[in-house]
Amino acid sequence: MERPEGFAFGPFELLANGPELNRRSQRVAASPKVLSTLLALVERAGKVVSKAELMAVVWPDCFVDEANLTQNIFVLRKLLAAEYGEQQVIETITRRGYRFTLPVTRLPNAAETQVAVNAPDVQPAVDEPVTSRRNLKLTAWIALGLGSACAVLLLWHQHLRHRPESQMPAFKLQRLTDHSSQNQITAVAVSRDGRMLAFADSDGIEVRPFDTEKLQTLRVPEVREVQSLAWFPDGLHLLLSGESAQSGAAQIWEISLTGEPSHLLVDDAQLGALSASGTYLAFLRKHNSELWVSSASGEQPRRLQSSREASTFTSLLWSADDKHLLVESHRQLASPSYVLPSADELASRVEGALTVVDPVSGAITATRSNVYIANAVAVEPNSVLFTRSALANSKEASTVWRVDLDPATGDFKGTPEILASLAAGQPHIYAFTADRSGKIIVTLSQQGPVGVYVGSWDDASGVLKNTYPLSQDGDVSYPHAWSRDGSAVLYESLKEGHWQIYRQQLDQHNGHPVMISDMNQVSPRQTPDDRWILFFGRWGQSGRPHLYRAPDSGGSPSLVSDRPDLLQVRCPLLRGSCIAQLLGQDGHHTYSRLDPESGIGAAVFQDASGWGNADWDVSADGRYLALLSSAAGTSALHVIDLEHGEIVEVPNQEHRLLAAVTWGVSHSDLFVTAATISGRFEIVQLYLDGHAKRILTSQRSTWAVPSADGKRLAFLDQNTDSNLWNLRLP
């Protein structure tokens, strides 16, 4: 049967071509993605449509967060409420999906007759909590060019060859480790012959045969944190990329299983990739902006490629025949603009590319856009296995795919084919390795809730103690401020299906909304006089948000500023005025005083050097600005004395990649977020003289939020268990 021209319900007509929605012959303004969501629901009126199905229909060629679907549903309910009021037109079926509840009539094509589809009587269900990754700091990580180990290979979704679900082979699962969240596994490798397994944790390098649980622990005191592992073909040596315990620099080592001393192969290099035959070693240098190749012993190194301006290399993969090197790169297209960007706005800021390079000549033999290889492995004879993730019932489900490579160019040949799938709720593939045949696959899975954590802070000793999760309801929440007396944390969450600001007392298990509104609300800031909460708000899922204020004691929000050049706002912990960051036509930032009632005032600093392009903050007494810049894998932190105009660059002695900064109660120290070589994140107490002390390490892109009394820290974290699973294909 042909697809109908559209559908009618009540005074609405929904046309499939476009799609287009009309109400009493008047067109209703809505984005194509919102209307595509409505069309998918109306086509199956009266039936439950899963979130995974909706996302596959609305975003067929890319992977987006489930929060985008939630936003579409929220917008549709607002549109339909103009006609149906509080009637549950789109019903949430907890842990299943959504259902369109109105009677629907098909608008036929010429060859069809009109058919009525009546929806059954249904009872309303409670909205299911939705999780999302916070966008506020994400553009900073993009600026750093950091490739997450959990990135998936995105390949023209509409061209992937699917099998019917009933014919989909399943993995045979075998759990290999039982690690707690206190002993994170950071890297894993299967030997080429499939007989040996190696992984890195806090104890060192653990090695074991597959046919026994007997472990051999290799101590590598020269390395503080392991980024990646790979086996040499002889099965007696390992290639290790990690962070030097002495200098903090990235290094590549050869580790022996037979008791020989560890051997440093390459200094100031990371992401070492050993070719299948063990002949070549590829690695990255100069903050991931240069691609190098050497012999497997690190000798005769030569530079093959340099990244384009504002881009960095993020992962390397050798073809199984050693003839080609697949290199992924990310390039930031635009600087971070305002808070609460939509998924499309955020995606437009970064460009991904896959380049295939001849390791001998350095010539580029093939290029592709928006293809990610960070979670892939080469197998014989000349193919690539890769993983892909999708959301199903609010949980990530993983699939494994295979694509052949062209032996002449190393480019993808033919259509990728799915091999097997892991159902939602089974271990999510975070890191991925396999033997040369691709029959033995080991995955590193990481699971745990993301939310607001709180700890007691001793500034004198620099120790964070007694940490615990504050938000315990399972919804993703992001902290930004404290109440002035330090008794409660202000954070944003998707508890009600849209971003909303909550205040939670330390002795309570759940937070309470600061205001009741359908407006998306993010980035709450407490004013020093304790009267107002400033935040950015936006109706719907697109467009630029505006700055609002709400009484600290409760009440309706009021507009503070709708200026299009306003980017972000920070408020001092103790005294002074809030500061607004403005974007000039020349692309430079201006920092101006902000009054919650009268709006934006006089400028206090003109940033002509782009020093605050990654993050910034104002000191507790309002006298200083800290401006953090990041570009092409480098970071710089400048402190501005607003009274005297003096500018000081804070020494970055360990050359950390920094992505967030917050002032402590004292103007002499800050809390910064640093990205580690292995892809994890650290909160570091940084003094103006460059002295630094690690406070905590997290799998998440976290940041610190100190209380005004200096006795507590709130931060984003995830209580994650990381373990290994053996996934055998049938």
Short mmCIF file of all heavy atoms in Angstrom, two decimals, residues 418-472:
data_model
loop_
_atom_site.label_atom_id
_atom_site.label_comp_id
_atom_site.label_asym_id
_atom_site.label_seq_id
_atom_site.Cartn_x
_atom_site.Cartn_y
_atom_site.Cartn_z
N ILE A 418 26.10 -5.50 9.65
CA ILE A 418 26.02 -5.75 11.08
C ILE A 418 26.27 -7.23 11.35
O ILE A 418 25.78 -8.11 10.64
CB ILE A 418 24.65 -5.30 11.63
CG1 ILE A 418 24.65 -5.37 13.16
CG2 ILE A 418 23.52 -6.12 11.04
CD1 ILE A 418 23.44 -4.69 13.78
N LEU A 419 27.07 -7.52 12.37
CA LEU A 419 27.40 -8.89 12.72
C LEU A 419 26.58 -9.41 13.89
O LEU A 419 26.14 -10.56 13.88
CB LEU A 419 28.89 -9.01 13.06
CG LEU A 419 29.88 -8.62 11.96
CD1 LEU A 419 31.31 -8.81 12.47
CD2 LEU A 419 29.65 -9.44 10.70
N ALA A 420 26.41 -8.60 14.90
CA ALA A 420 25.69 -9.04 16.09
C ALA A 420 25.34 -7.84 16.93
O ALA A 420 25.84 -6.73 16.72
CB ALA A 420 26.51 -10.05 16.89
N SER A 421 24.48 -8.05 17.92
CA SER A 421 24.02 -6.93 18.74
C SER A 421 23.97 -7.32 20.20
O SER A 421 23.82 -8.50 20.54
CB SER A 421 22.64 -6.46 18.29
OG SER A 421 21.67 -7.46 18.54
N LEU A 422 24.13 -6.31 21.04
CA LEU A 422 23.91 -6.45 22.47
C LEU A 422 22.63 -5.70 22.81
O LEU A 422 22.47 -4.55 22.45
CB LEU A 422 25.07 -5.85 23.26
CG LEU A 422 26.36 -6.67 23.31
CD1 LEU A 422 27.47 -5.84 23.91
CD2 LEU A 422 26.16 -7.92 24.12
N ALA A 423 21.73 -6.35 23.49
CA ALA A 423 20.46 -5.73 23.83
C ALA A 423 20.67 -4.63 24.85
O ALA A 423 21.66 -4.59 25.58
CB ALA A 423 19.49 -6.79 24.38
N ALA A 424 19.70 -3.72 24.88
CA ALA A 424 19.73 -2.66 25.88
C ALA A 424 19.76 -3.26 27.28
O ALA A 424 19.04 -4.21 27.57
CB ALA A 424 18.51 -1.74 25.73
N GLY A 425 20.62 -2.72 28.12
CA GLY A 425 20.75 -3.25 29.47
C GLY A 425 21.93 -4.18 29.63
O GLY A 425 22.40 -4.42 30.74
N GLN A 426 22.43 -4.75 28.49
CA GLN A 426 23.65 -5.54 28.55
C GLN A 426 24.84 -4.59 28.53
O GLN A 426 24.69 -3.39 28.32
CB GLN A 426 23.69 -6.52 27.37
CG GLN A 426 22.68 -7.64 27.48
CD GLN A 426 22.82 -8.64 26.35
OE1 GLN A 426 22.71 -8.29 25.18
NE2 GLN A 426 23.06 -9.89 26.69
N PRO A 427 26.06 -5.10 28.76
CA PRO A 427 27.22 -4.20 28.85
C PRO A 427 27.35 -3.31 27.62
O PRO A 427 27.26 -3.78 26.49
CB PRO A 427 28.40 -5.17 28.96
CG PRO A 427 27.81 -6.40 29.56
CD PRO A 427 26.43 -6.50 29.00
N HIS A 428 27.55 -2.02 27.88
CA HIS A 428 27.74 -1.05 26.80
C HIS A 428 29.21 -1.02 26.41
O HIS A 428 30.09 -0.93 27.25
CB HIS A 428 27.28 0.33 27.24
CG HIS A 428 27.69 1.41 26.29
ND1 HIS A 428 27.26 1.45 25.00
CD2 HIS A 428 28.50 2.49 26.45
CE1 HIS A 428 27.78 2.50 24.39
NE2 HIS A 428 28.54 3.15 25.26
N ILE A 429 29.48 -1.09 25.11
CA ILE A 429 30.85 -1.15 24.62
C ILE A 429 31.49 0.23 24.73
O ILE A 429 31.07 1.18 24.07
CB ILE A 429 30.89 -1.65 23.18
CG1 ILE A 429 30.38 -3.10 23.12
CG2 ILE A 429 32.30 -1.56 22.62
CD1 ILE A 429 30.32 -3.68 21.73
N TYR A 430 32.52 0.31 25.57
CA TYR A 430 33.24 1.56 25.80
C TYR A 430 34.59 1.54 25.08
O TYR A 430 34.98 2.51 24.46
CB TYR A 430 33.44 1.77 27.30
CG TYR A 430 34.29 2.95 27.67
CD1 TYR A 430 33.76 4.23 27.66
CD2 TYR A 430 35.62 2.79 28.03
CE1 TYR A 430 34.54 5.33 28.00
CE2 TYR A 430 36.41 3.88 28.36
CZ TYR A 430 35.86 5.14 28.35
OH TYR A 430 36.64 6.22 28.69
N ALA A 431 35.31 0.44 25.18
CA ALA A 431 36.56 0.24 24.43
C ALA A 431 36.49 -1.15 23.81
O ALA A 431 35.78 -2.03 24.29
CB ALA A 431 37.77 0.37 25.34
N PHE A 432 37.29 -1.37 22.77
CA PHE A 432 37.03 -2.48 21.86
C PHE A 432 38.36 -3.03 21.35
O PHE A 432 39.22 -2.26 20.91
CB PHE A 432 36.18 -1.92 20.72
CG PHE A 432 35.71 -2.91 19.70
CD1 PHE A 432 34.85 -3.92 20.05
CD2 PHE A 432 36.10 -2.79 18.39
CE1 PHE A 432 34.38 -4.81 19.10
CE2 PHE A 432 35.64 -3.67 17.42
CZ PHE A 432 34.78 -4.68 17.78
N THR A 433 38.56 -4.33 21.42
CA THR A 433 39.77 -4.95 20.90
C THR A 433 39.43 -6.37 20.43
O THR A 433 38.41 -6.94 20.85
CB THR A 433 40.89 -4.99 21.96
OG1 THR A 433 42.07 -5.58 21.41
CG2 THR A 433 40.45 -5.79 23.18
N ALA A 434 40.25 -6.93 19.55
CA ALA A 434 39.96 -8.26 19.00
C ALA A 434 41.24 -8.91 18.52
O ALA A 434 42.27 -8.25 18.33
CB ALA A 434 38.95 -8.16 17.85
N ASP A 435 41.17 -10.23 18.30
CA ASP A 435 42.30 -10.94 17.70
C ASP A 435 42.28 -10.71 16.19
O ASP A 435 41.42 -10.02 15.66
CB ASP A 435 42.23 -12.43 18.03
CG ASP A 435 41.05 -13.12 17.37
OD1 ASP A 435 40.08 -12.42 16.97
OD2 ASP A 435 41.07 -14.35 17.25
N ARG A 436 43.27 -11.31 15.49
CA ARG A 436 43.40 -11.02 14.06
C ARG A 436 42.23 -11.55 13.24
O ARG A 436 41.93 -11.02 12.16
CB ARG A 436 44.71 -11.60 13.53
CG ARG A 436 44.77 -13.12 13.54
CD ARG A 436 45.92 -13.63 12.66
NE ARG A 436 47.20 -13.24 13.18
CZ ARG A 436 47.96 -14.01 13.96
NH1 ARG A 436 47.53 -15.20 14.34
NH2 ARG A 436 49.14 -13.60 14.39
N SER A 437 41.55 -12.59 13.73
CA SER A 437 40.42 -13.16 12.99
C SER A 437 39.12 -12.41 13.23
O SER A 437 38.17 -12.55 12.46
CB SER A 437 40.24 -14.63 13.37
OG SER A 437 39.75 -14.74 14.71
N GLY A 438 39.05 -11.64 14.31
CA GLY A 438 37.82 -10.96 14.65
C GLY A 438 36.80 -11.85 15.33
O GLY A 438 35.65 -11.44 15.53
N LYS A 439 37.20 -13.06 15.71
CA LYS A 439 36.28 -13.97 16.37
C LYS A 439 36.27 -13.80 17.88
O LYS A 439 35.29 -14.10 18.55
CB LYS A 439 36.65 -15.43 16.02
CG LYS A 439 36.41 -15.79 14.57
CD LYS A 439 34.93 -15.73 14.21
CE LYS A 439 34.67 -16.17 12.78
NZ LYS A 439 33.24 -16.08 12.43
N ILE A 440 37.38 -13.35 18.44
CA ILE A 440 37.46 -13.12 19.88
C ILE A 440 37.49 -11.61 20.12
O ILE A 440 38.44 -10.94 19.73
CB ILE A 440 38.70 -13.79 20.49
CG1 ILE A 440 38.65 -15.30 20.28
CG2 ILE A 440 38.79 -13.46 21.98
CD1 ILE A 440 39.86 -16.03 20.80
N ILE A 441 36.47 -11.10 20.73
CA ILE A 441 36.33 -9.67 20.95
C ILE A 441 36.22 -9.43 22.44
O ILE A 441 35.48 -10.11 23.15
CB ILE A 441 35.08 -9.12 20.24
CG1 ILE A 441 35.17 -9.37 18.73
CG2 ILE A 441 34.91 -7.64 20.52
CD1 ILE A 441 33.92 -9.04 17.99
N VAL A 442 36.98 -8.46 22.93
CA VAL A 442 36.90 -8.07 24.34
C VAL A 442 36.49 -6.61 24.40
O VAL A 442 37.05 -5.77 23.69
CB VAL A 442 38.23 -8.30 25.07
CG1 VAL A 442 38.19 -7.69 26.47
CG2 VAL A 442 38.54 -9.78 25.15
N THR A 443 35.52 -6.31 25.23
CA THR A 443 35.05 -4.95 25.38
C THR A 443 35.21 -4.50 26.82
O THR A 443 35.10 -5.29 27.75
CB THR A 443 33.57 -4.83 24.98
OG1 THR A 443 33.12 -3.50 25.24
CG2 THR A 443 32.70 -5.77 25.76
N LEU A 444 35.51 -3.23 26.97
CA LEU A 444 35.53 -2.58 28.27
C LEU A 444 34.22 -1.85 28.45
O LEU A 444 33.89 -0.94 27.69
CB LEU A 444 36.70 -1.60 28.36
CG LEU A 444 36.78 -0.70 29.60
CD1 LEU A 444 36.87 -1.52 30.86
CD2 LEU A 444 37.95 0.26 29.48
N SER A 445 33.42 -2.29 29.41
CA SER A 445 32.12 -1.67 29.65
C SER A 445 32.20 -0.77 30.87
O SER A 445 32.90 -1.08 31.83
CB SER A 445 31.04 -2.74 29.88
OG SER A 445 31.28 -3.44 31.08
N GLN A 446 31.48 0.34 30.81
CA GLN A 446 31.43 1.27 31.94
C GLN A 446 29.98 1.65 32.19
O GLN A 446 29.27 2.05 31.28
CB GLN A 446 32.27 2.51 31.65
CG GLN A 446 33.76 2.18 31.55
CD GLN A 446 34.62 3.42 31.59
OE1 GLN A 446 34.19 4.49 31.23
NE2 GLN A 446 35.85 3.26 32.05
N GLN A 447 29.56 1.50 33.44
CA GLN A 447 28.18 1.77 33.79
C GLN A 447 28.12 2.47 35.14
O GLN A 447 28.91 2.19 36.03
CB GLN A 447 27.37 0.46 33.85
CG GLN A 447 27.31 -0.27 32.52
CD GLN A 447 26.66 -1.63 32.64
OE1 GLN A 447 26.66 -2.22 33.70
NE2 GLN A 447 26.10 -2.11 31.54
N GLY A 448 27.16 3.37 35.30
CA GLY A 448 26.97 4.06 36.56
C GLY A 448 26.24 5.37 36.36
O GLY A 448 26.33 5.99 35.29
N PRO A 449 25.50 5.84 37.36
CA PRO A 449 24.72 7.08 37.22
C PRO A 449 25.60 8.32 37.23
O PRO A 449 26.62 8.38 37.91
CB PRO A 449 23.80 7.04 38.45
CG PRO A 449 24.56 6.22 39.45
CD PRO A 449 25.31 5.20 38.67
N VAL A 450 25.19 9.32 36.47
CA VAL A 450 25.87 10.61 36.41
C VAL A 450 25.07 11.62 37.22
O VAL A 450 23.85 11.68 37.10
CB VAL A 450 25.99 11.11 34.96
CG1 VAL A 450 26.72 12.45 34.91
CG2 VAL A 450 26.70 10.08 34.11
N GLY A 451 25.73 12.39 38.06
CA GLY A 451 24.98 13.36 38.84
C GLY A 451 25.87 14.26 39.67
O GLY A 451 27.09 14.32 39.48
N VAL A 452 25.24 14.96 40.61
CA VAL A 452 25.93 15.92 41.48
C VAL A 452 26.49 15.18 42.69
O VAL A 452 25.77 14.43 43.37
CB VAL A 452 24.97 17.02 41.94
CG1 VAL A 452 25.69 18.01 42.85
CG2 VAL A 452 24.36 17.74 40.74
N TYR A 453 27.76 15.41 42.96
CA TYR A 453 28.43 14.84 44.13
C TYR A 453 28.90 15.99 45.01
O TYR A 453 29.18 17.09 44.54
CB TYR A 453 29.61 13.96 43.72
CG TYR A 453 29.20 12.61 43.17
CD1 TYR A 453 28.54 12.51 41.95
CD2 TYR A 453 29.47 11.44 43.86
CE1 TYR A 453 28.17 11.27 41.44
CE2 TYR A 453 29.11 10.19 43.37
CZ TYR A 453 28.46 10.12 42.16
OH TYR A 453 28.08 8.90 41.66
N VAL A 454 29.02 15.71 46.30
CA VAL A 454 29.43 16.72 47.28
C VAL A 454 30.49 16.10 48.19
O VAL A 454 30.43 14.91 48.51
CB VAL A 454 28.23 17.21 48.10
CG1 VAL A 454 28.68 18.08 49.26
CG2 VAL A 454 27.27 17.99 47.22
N GLY A 455 31.46 16.91 48.59
CA GLY A 455 32.48 16.46 49.53
C GLY A 455 32.91 17.58 50.46
O GLY A 455 32.72 18.77 50.17
N SER A 456 33.50 17.21 51.58
CA SER A 456 34.05 18.19 52.53
C SER A 456 35.45 18.59 52.06
O SER A 456 36.28 17.73 51.75
CB SER A 456 34.13 17.59 53.93
OG SER A 456 32.85 17.21 54.39
N TRP A 457 35.70 19.89 52.02
CA TRP A 457 36.95 20.41 51.48
C TRP A 457 37.77 21.07 52.58
O TRP A 457 37.31 21.94 53.30
CB TRP A 457 36.65 21.42 50.38
CG TRP A 457 37.86 22.15 49.87
CD1 TRP A 457 38.14 23.49 49.99
CD2 TRP A 457 38.97 21.58 49.18
NE1 TRP A 457 39.34 23.79 49.40
CE2 TRP A 457 39.88 22.64 48.89
CE3 TRP A 457 39.29 20.29 48.76
CZ2 TRP A 457 41.06 22.43 48.22
CZ3 TRP A 457 40.48 20.08 48.09
CH2 TRP A 457 41.35 21.14 47.81
N ASP A 458 39.02 20.61 52.69
CA ASP A 458 39.98 21.19 53.63
C ASP A 458 41.00 21.97 52.80
O ASP A 458 41.90 21.38 52.19
CB ASP A 458 40.66 20.08 54.44
CG ASP A 458 41.60 20.64 55.51
OD1 ASP A 458 41.88 21.86 55.49
OD2 ASP A 458 42.06 19.86 56.36
N ASP A 459 40.85 23.28 52.76
CA ASP A 459 41.70 24.10 51.90
C ASP A 459 43.16 24.06 52.35
O ASP A 459 44.07 24.12 51.53
CB ASP A 459 41.19 25.54 51.89
CG ASP A 459 41.89 26.38 50.85
OD1 ASP A 459 41.71 26.10 49.65
OD2 ASP A 459 42.63 27.31 51.23
N ALA A 460 43.39 23.95 53.67
CA ALA A 460 44.76 23.96 54.18
C ALA A 460 45.56 22.75 53.68
O ALA A 460 46.72 22.87 53.29
CB ALA A 460 44.74 24.00 55.70
N SER A 461 44.92 21.58 53.69
CA SER A 461 45.61 20.36 53.26
C SER A 461 45.36 20.02 51.80
O SER A 461 46.06 19.18 51.23
CB SER A 461 45.17 19.18 54.14
OG SER A 461 43.78 18.93 53.99
N GLY A 462 44.36 20.66 51.20
CA GLY A 462 44.03 20.35 49.81
C GLY A 462 43.45 18.97 49.64
O GLY A 462 43.68 18.31 48.61
N VAL A 463 42.66 18.52 50.61
CA VAL A 463 42.10 17.17 50.58
C VAL A 463 40.58 17.26 50.54
O VAL A 463 39.96 17.99 51.31
CB VAL A 463 42.54 16.35 51.81
CG1 VAL A 463 41.86 14.99 51.82
CG2 VAL A 463 44.06 16.19 51.80
N LEU A 464 39.97 16.48 49.64
CA LEU A 464 38.52 16.37 49.54
C LEU A 464 38.11 15.05 50.20
O LEU A 464 38.58 13.98 49.81
CB LEU A 464 38.09 16.38 48.07
CG LEU A 464 36.59 16.34 47.79
CD1 LEU A 464 35.90 17.59 48.30
CD2 LEU A 464 36.34 16.17 46.30
N LYS A 465 37.24 15.13 51.19
CA LYS A 465 36.87 13.96 51.97
C LYS A 465 35.36 13.77 51.98
O LYS A 465 34.60 14.68 51.69
CB LYS A 465 37.39 14.10 53.41
CG LYS A 465 38.90 14.26 53.54
CD LYS A 465 39.32 14.38 54.99
CE LYS A 465 38.83 15.67 55.62
NZ LYS A 465 39.32 15.86 57.01
N ASN A 466 34.97 12.55 52.35
CA ASN A 466 33.56 12.22 52.60
C ASN A 466 32.67 12.58 51.41
O ASN A 466 31.60 13.18 51.57
CB ASN A 466 33.05 12.94 53.86
CG ASN A 466 33.90 12.65 55.08
OD1 ASN A 466 34.34 11.52 55.28
ND2 ASN A 466 34.14 13.67 55.90
N THR A 467 33.08 12.20 50.22
CA THR A 467 32.28 12.49 49.04
C THR A 467 31.11 11.52 48.94
O THR A 467 31.22 10.35 49.29
CB THR A 467 33.13 12.40 47.76
OG1 THR A 467 33.66 11.08 47.63
CG2 THR A 467 34.28 13.39 47.82
N TYR A 468 30.00 12.01 48.42
CA TYR A 468 28.81 11.18 48.25
C TYR A 468 27.91 11.79 47.18
O TYR A 468 27.98 13.00 46.91
CB TYR A 468 28.04 11.05 49.56
CG TYR A 468 27.42 12.34 50.07
CD1 TYR A 468 26.11 12.68 49.77
CD2 TYR A 468 28.17 13.24 50.83
CE1 TYR A 468 25.55 13.87 50.23
CE2 TYR A 468 27.62 14.43 51.30
CZ TYR A 468 26.31 14.73 51.00
OH TYR A 468 25.76 15.91 51.44
N PRO A 469 27.07 10.98 46.53
CA PRO A 469 26.16 11.53 45.52
C PRO A 469 25.02 12.30 46.17
O PRO A 469 24.33 11.78 47.05
CB PRO A 469 25.65 10.29 44.78
CG PRO A 469 25.80 9.17 45.77
CD PRO A 469 26.99 9.51 46.61
N LEU A 470 24.83 13.55 45.76
CA LEU A 470 23.74 14.35 46.30
C LEU A 470 22.43 14.03 45.60
O LEU A 470 21.42 13.78 46.23
CB LEU A 470 24.06 15.84 46.15
CG LEU A 470 23.00 16.81 46.68
CD1 LEU A 470 22.89 16.71 48.19
CD2 LEU A 470 23.32 18.24 46.25
N SER A 471 22.44 14.04 44.26
CA SER A 471 21.24 13.72 43.49
C SER A 471 21.20 12.20 43.27
O SER A 471 22.04 11.65 42.59
CB SER A 471 21.25 14.44 42.15
OG SER A 471 22.45 14.20 41.45
N GLN A 472 20.23 11.54 43.85
CA GLN A 472 20.18 10.08 43.86
C GLN A 472 18.94 9.53 43.16
O GLN A 472 18.55 8.39 43.38
CB GLN A 472 20.22 9.56 45.30
CG GLN A 472 21.44 10.02 46.08
CD GLN A 472 21.47 9.46 47.48
OE1 GLN A 472 21.01 8.36 47.74
NE2 GLN A 472 22.01 10.22 48.41
#
